[in-house]
Amino acid sequence: AQSVTQLGSHVSVSEGALVLLRCNYSSSVPPYLFWYVQYPNQGLQLLLKYTTGATLVKGINGFEAEFKKSETSFHLTKPSAHMSDAAEYFCAVSSTGGGNKLTFGTGTQLKVEL
Amino acid sequence: NAGVTQTPKFQVLKTGQSMTLQCAQDMNHEYMSWYRQDPGMGLRLIHYSVGAGITDQGEVPNGYNVSRSTTEDFPLRLLSAAPSQTSVYFCASTQRGRNTEAFFGQGTRLTVV
């Protein structure tokens, strides 16, 4: 079975500081990995997705993620946090077996402080 | 394009009552899914469908039924609501292919008292 683990349920950064949200995956086959963002009282929207062969993936709103097979990681970063980045972030893996079923991590709540 | 539309947005039920959460998508996506979101647990898959007439169970299917009579609609039925079903429910749709983006509705916040 495939799974993802997000370290840190809450992360707080200052505006302008680096954002680093951690995600590690477990998969016996090449994984299909995603980062989704959820703003308060909203549904989830895609930030970025891993494409086989690429190690650095760029997403919306200045976010990017680096796929490291040796570390089974897909950490999300942004060089400079903005107040509007405050949200909950979910790492997810698409399972095999059809249906595009997603297995989500437990989420990381990002707080951005002045 | 409305995307994925869920109704209602909020609902309060008494224990034992039944109800249907509605989900409709206008993107002609083959795959649709229902997830529930609980604090500290992320989103967990309840049921999913790979096309009209085809449904299957996810990780937490007990207490829920689904059907898919059309490509557009995928309702979720709570048969006899329990307090443990208090949660936020999200419907999602995707095209075929493991690397495709899932589009989510705005969610239904359900409280069972």
Side-chain angles (χ1 to χ4, degrees), chain A residues 3 25 30 39-40 46 65 74 81 87 89 92 99:
Chain A
S3 65
Y25 68 89
Y39 298 104
L46 182 69
F74 191 56
Y89 293 79

Side-chain angles (χ1 to χ4, degrees), chain A residues 7-90:
Chain A
L7 295 176
S9 59
H10 292 82
V11 170
S12 183
V13 300
S14 299
E15 191 174 36
L18 172 72
V19 175
L20 171 61
L21 305 181
R22 299 178 186 276
C23 174
N24 288 87
Y25 68 89
S26 173
S27 176
S28 58
V29 298
Y32 289 86
L33 295 162
F34 305 81
W35 275 99
Y36 283 86
V37 60
Q38 183 181 32
Y39 298 104
N41 300 313
Q42 299 286 319
L44 281 71
Q45 65 181 85
L46 182 69
L47 266 181
L48 52 81
K49 62 182 182 181
Y50 169 63
T51 302
T52 304
T55 55
L56 188 63
V57 181
K58 293 189 183 299
I60 62 171
N61 301 336
F63 283 93
E64 58 186 33
E66 186 173 8
F67 176 75
K68 289 187 177 179
K69 185 177 179 181
S70 61
E71 298 178 8
T72 61
S73 68
F74 191 56
H75 301 331
L76 182 71
T77 60
K78 182 174 181 178
S80 176
H82 191 270
M83 296 295 289
S84 60
D85 295 327
E88 190 157 23
Y89 293 79
F90 293 94

